[in-house]
Amino acid sequence: GNQKATHLENSQGKKSQHAEEAIFYMNCRAAYLTVLKSSLENIKSKEQLSLVLQQAGRNPSQKTINKYWTSQTTSLNFDDFCAILKKEKPATKNELLEAFGKLDTNKAGYVLHDELCKILTTRGDKMTWEEVTSIIKQADFNFSGKLDYNKAWPRFCELYLTTSEQCCKAARDRLEMDPKLRQQHFGNQTENFSEGISLPGSKPSPRVSRKTDHKLPKADSRAPSRPSSAQSNKASTSSTVTVGASSSRNTKLIIEPDTMKEWQRSQCKGCFYLEEDGEIISHKYRLHLAQRSALCVTIKPFHIPQAEGKSCHWLSVDTALFILKENETQENLQLVSFTELQNKEMFGWRGELGAGIYWLLPFTTGCRLRKEKTQISGEAKLVWRDEDGELALTEEFQAALLDIFETIDLDGNGLLSLEEYNFFELRTSGEKCDQEAWAVCKENFEMKKNELTRQGFLDLNLMEANDRDGDPWDLWVTLLSLGYNKALEMTEACPFVIDLCAERCKPRIKAISLEAGGSQLSRALCRSVVNKGEAKVLDGSENIFIYTYRSGSRITSVIENKSENKVIIHVNNEQSKNCLNSRGLTVFAVEVAPKSMMVSQHVMALNEQEEWIYSCVHSLV
């Protein structure tokens, strides 16, 4: 009985300690983000250090600041800040009274008005006269200009401590109320894979290693390497994967063998588009198989015929396709498989599927499809006037429009159907063209079999230029929404092509929407990594698992939280070499909801012609 009681007390003590630590780190983050844009941004000056400490309810003296910011200090990170806060406790009432007592050098029990003003404006962190006047208004100076601090100090202390707590509370409220600020803190981009996916139930995880030195296939294992400020005894695990130069792109996997020449084929194009907030949207597809059949599915960036010889940024973007089985409700699609075979830029899957309806969800990690940072000088000319004053499209703009036509011609028949054109309209204007409007198009622009030709598409854009009397504003809105920059280069979009071969029936594929991947894609992505990847439990935290999976030229890690509480995981990639990751950050943190899993990051080679090393430490905050 005594042992049980002791165990219970210890357990409750640990829970209380964890709760206190969680509150402490929440206050740290809130204070930090009041001054800096992200908890991954470093403190770069004494002034910033003083500000963040004040936001955390401290009132640092110059001596305190100099203790942590020496002549050798160039910056302090979030972990350093947390360590400082643990050492520098908030001032107590007794400490404040003692401070006032030191001003009374004669031990008379009071401080003169003029003397207090002089001290506040000339010593330590010098205050302005406006700040001093504001404080003095709160004091009880008698007619002789004396302040009895033994009587006045409770009010001063109350004012000081209340103000300090208000700073902390305001910082916490700001963090809780501003989702963008929370994302900045955690280093998240608004991505279709970053949301937490709830787990239906807890099952034993396959391939779980409870040792942090477990080796992944074709990988070496190294000791966890973390910045000195992050060293701790908290639960953590490290993973290291070394990939040889071009080893992923020069694979000899045969995705389409000669035996498939007689199989029935279908093809459909699509595109990934990068939104302003960094989210990636794409076409989604429905596949119908009339009977059970062996099947081969591939996806790769689309080589636009007219773009030969041009700079095609999108050809290096990674692509993937997830195959989901449609059940009675679309809310619960079942992951069947995904394209994990790779041959250069092509990803594929071969297997057998039963008759029925399937969903094909395209995916890219975002490692190589991200907002362009290069500033474009100048602007390409879109229209010009001939000798008669008539508007015409420039050759450069016509070439871009023909490239766009190839991208939005999803079935590749050289014509735009109303359905294909409407995907274009939804992307560029947010509206659809109805049958009546399509009939008007038919009267004014060249069509074949009720579908718009290339020339008709060019003439339609020329009409838009004429409607604006040559003002290219609307034309640029169209181009920018399709991923083009002002130099008419497609840098924020990636057209792709999907090929299907079936042995026993014609695979029928149809684009059904253009939107972000959403929870279905996130769930499929997480499940694929959990099913195929190597699992490690965070040493010292049996409910947190890190899954790492290499698929061709990319590595993905997923965090699974089986506990009843949300957790914050610190992710450190500082020892990785020649790597790009989907978050664009070397060090970041993610919050994982209870009983859920989420993608930590995707990683690819920065330069595939050289060896690259993925070395990551996940640790519990």
Side-chain angles (χ1 to χ4, degrees):
N2 291 335
Q3 287 180 341
K4 286 184 178 180
T6 303
H7 177 75
L8 182 61
E9 287 176 6
N10 291 338
S11 178
Q12 289 174 341
K14 286 181 180 179
K15 286 183 179 179
S16 176
Q17 183 180 350
H18 287 315
E20 288 177 7
E21 189 168 322
I23 293 171
F24 171 76
Y25 276 106
M26 180 184 70
N27 289 335
C28 290
R29 293 195 303 273
Y32 205 83
L33 291 173
T34 303
V35 178
L36 297 131
K37 293 180 180 179
S38 164
S39 62
L40 307 174
E41 185 178 338
N42 288 343
I43 298 169
K44 296 183 176 65
S45 68
K46 288 184 177 182
E47 291 72 24
Q48 278 190 335
L49 176 58
S50 180
L51 281 173
V52 290
L53 287 172
Q54 287 170 5
Q55 290 298 328
R58 310 302 194 264
N59 189 26
S61 65
Q62 195 60 48
K63 182 179 179 181
T64 300
I65 296 297
N66 291 338
K67 181 166 65 173
Y68 298 107
W69 194 283
T70 67
S71 57
Q72 283 77 39
T73 307
T74 56
S75 65
L76 295 171
N77 63 24
F78 178 70
D79 290 326
D80 297 324
F81 172 64
C82 293
I84 292 171
L85 283 190
K86 284 184 176 180
K87 295 176 182 177
E88 301 299 326
K89 304 296 183 184
T92 64
K93 288 185 179 182
N94 289 334
E95 288 171 338
L96 290 173
L97 178 58
E98 186 181 340
F100 262 108
K102 289 180 179 178
L103 300 179
D104 179 17
T105 54
N106 298 323
K107 306 301 178 185
Y110 60 82
V111 179
L112 292 173
H113 176 282
D114 294 342
E115 187 179 350
L116 181 61
C117 290
K118 182 179 178 181
I119 290 170
L120 294 177
T121 56
T122 60
R123 293 187 191 176
D125 296 322
K126 302 176 184 65
M127 299 178 71
T128 65
W129 278 104
E130 290 77 10
E131 290 171 332
V132 171
T133 302
S134 176
I135 287 178
I136 295 232
K137 283 180 181 179
Q138 309 291 327
D140 288 330
F141 285 93
N142 60 25
F143 292 108
S144 303
K146 297 177 180 179
L147 174 67
D148 186 338
Y149 59 83
N150 285 299
K151 292 181 180 179
W153 82 269
R155 182 179 297 180
F156 267 107
C157 290
E158 184 180 343
L159 177 65
Y160 172 84
L161 295 173
T162 301
T163 304
S164 175
E165 178 54 35
Q166 284 175 346
C167 281
C168 292
K169 186 177 184 303
R172 287 196 302 269
D173 290 346
R174 183 166 175 259
L175 180 64
E176 289 298 323
M177 295 297 291
D178 191 341
K180 290 185 179 179
L181 190 62
R182 290 174 65 85
Q183 285 180 347
Q184 285 177 334
H185 154 59
F186 290 121
N188 288 344
Q189 297 171 4
T190 309
E191 297 162 319
N192 52 9
F193 57 79
S194 62
E195 58 187 285
I197 303 301
S198 297
L199 303 176
S202 253
K203 295 182 180 179
S205 298
R207 296 176 299 284
V208 173
S209 167
R210 294 189 175 271
K211 294 183 180 179
T212 57
D213 61 350
H214 188 96
K215 292 185 179 181
L216 289 169
K218 299 182 182 179
D220 61 347
S221 183
R222 303 186 178 193
S225 179
R226 306 173 67 195
S228 59
S229 59
Q231 294 286 355
S232 71
N233 293 323
K234 293 171 188 170
S236 67
T237 187
S238 64
S239 298
T240 303
V241 180
T242 301
V243 184
S246 302
S247 65
S248 56
R249 295 184 70 83
N250 293 334
T251 176
K252 296 183 179 179
L253 290 170
I254 304 299
I255 298 176
E256 296 183 345
D258 292 338
T259 54
M260 290 168 43
K261 288 181 178 179
E262 304 301 320
W263 290 19
Q264 300 185 62
R265 293 175 174 260
S266 291
Q267 187 182 85
C268 195
K269 287 181 279 186
C271 195
F272 294 111
Y273 295 109
L274 191 59
E275 298 280 54
E276 278 300 314
D277 60 4
E279 185 176 43
I280 296 172
I281 70 169
S282 75
H283 294 84
K284 292 182 178 180
Y285 305 84
R286 183 174 284 149
L287 168 67
H288 176 249
L289 290 179
Q291 64 184 91
R292 175 174 287 276
S293 175
L295 190 75
C296 178
V297 183
T298 65
I299 182 172
K300 64 180 180 180
F302 176 54
H303 290 255
I304 300 175
Q306 287 89 345
E308 293 295 332
K310 298 179 185 177
S311 177
C312 302
H313 303 266
W314 67 89
L315 292 179
S316 65
V317 173
D318 61 290
T319 60
L321 200 62
F322 287 83
I323 306 168
L324 286 75
K325 181 74 169 68
E326 184 172 295
N327 297 321
E328 294 180 1
T329 62
Q330 293 182 8
E331 286 74 26
N332 189 27
L333 302 178
Q334 181 183 356
L335 174 65
V336 175
S337 194
F338 62 100
T339 51
E340 58 179 326
L341 301 177
Q342 183 180 6
N343 188 356
K344 297 183 179 179
E345 75 275 11
M346 178 189 290
F347 279 82
W349 175 81
R350 287 168 55 193
E352 187 170 290
L353 294 179
I357 303 295
Y358 297 85
W359 285 60
L360 303 181
L361 306 184
F363 169 73
T364 182
T365 61
C367 290
R368 292 182 178 152
L369 183 59
R370 55 181 62 190
K371 300 303 290 184
E372 189 179 29
K373 294 181 180 179
T374 307
Q375 293 294 322
I376 303 298
S377 58
E379 182 179 294
K381 194 172 182 180
L382 304 184
V383 295
W384 63 288
R385 292 188 182 275
D386 61 18
E387 295 177 354
D388 299 325
E390 296 292 322
L391 273 177
L393 306 179
T394 63
E395 288 186 7
E396 194 176 9
F397 183 36
Q398 286 189 59
L401 287 174
L402 290 175
D403 288 351
I404 291 170
F405 186 95
E406 290 294 331
T407 300
I408 63 178
D409 175 21
L410 301 184
D411 62 8
N413 70 344
L415 301 167
L416 292 184
S417 67
L418 176 56
E419 285 183 339
E420 290 170 330
Y421 182 76
N422 272 334
F423 282 122
F424 166 77
E425 278 293 313
L426 283 170
R427 179 61 191 162
T428 57
S429 70
E431 299 177 355
K432 278 188 174 185
C433 176
D434 58 22
Q435 290 289 349
E436 186 177 345
W438 193 244
V440 174
C441 284
K442 190 173 182 179
E443 293 174 4
N444 292 277
F445 307 110
E446 183 180 87
M447 285 198 181
K448 291 182 180 178
K449 301 177 182 178
N450 202 36
E451 295 188 334
L452 193 65
T453 65
R454 288 181 177 83
Q455 187 58 50
F457 184 65
L458 293 176
D459 292 341
L460 189 151
N461 281 274
L462 178 59
M463 182 200 73
E464 189 170 333
N466 276 299
D467 286 346
R468 300 279 295 189
D469 195 27
D471 185 345
W473 170 261
D474 284 347
L475 300 176
W476 275 118
V477 169
T478 296
L479 288 165
L480 294 173
S481 66
L482 295 173
Y484 281 79
N485 61 21
K486 288 301 182 78
L488 288 181
E489 299 169 325
M490 191 196 302
T491 56
E492 295 185 0
C494 172
F496 56 80
V497 59
I498 297 171
D499 280 287
L500 300 105
C501 300
E503 184 179 19
R504 296 174 185 166
C505 62
K506 176 79 172 178
R508 303 195 180 279
I509 181 174
K510 182 178 181 181
I512 55 172
S513 65
L514 178 61
E515 59 188 4
S519 60
Q520 293 288 3
L521 179 57
S522 295
R523 189 175 290 109
L525 183 54
C526 287
R527 186 54 59 192
S528 67
V529 174
V530 170
N531 290 345
K532 296 275 189 176
E534 186 72 30
K536 292 183 179 180
V537 63
L538 254 66
D539 190 23
S541 180
E542 61 182 14
N543 290 319
I544 312 298
F545 295 83
I546 309 297
Y547 300 86
T548 305
Y549 175 61
R550 178 186 165 195
S551 176
S553 60
R554 58 179 173 254
I555 293 171
T556 299
S557 63
V558 165
I559 305 169
E560 182 179 8
N561 176 17
K562 293 187 176 183
S563 74
E564 301 289 343
N565 305 304
K566 72 176 182 182
V567 295
I568 297 171
I569 304 296
H570 186 272
V571 185
N572 189 318
N573 296 295
E574 289 184 323
Q575 296 304 307
S576 292
K577 294 181 180 178
N578 187 29
C579 287
L580 278 172
N581 77 37
S582 54
R583 295 185 183 274
L585 298 163
T586 303
V587 181
F588 58 91
V590 292
E591 183 177 291
V592 190
K595 299 289 183 182
S596 72
M597 64 175 75
M598 70 177 297
V599 170
S600 170
Q601 62 182 338
H602 304 283
V603 180
M604 298 184 69
L606 180 63
N607 180 358
E608 291 186 326
Q609 303 308 312
E610 299 176 2
E611 179 186 78
W612 55 289
I613 299 173
Y614 167 75
S615 182
C616 178
V617 177
H618 288 81
S619 55
L620 189 62
V621 174

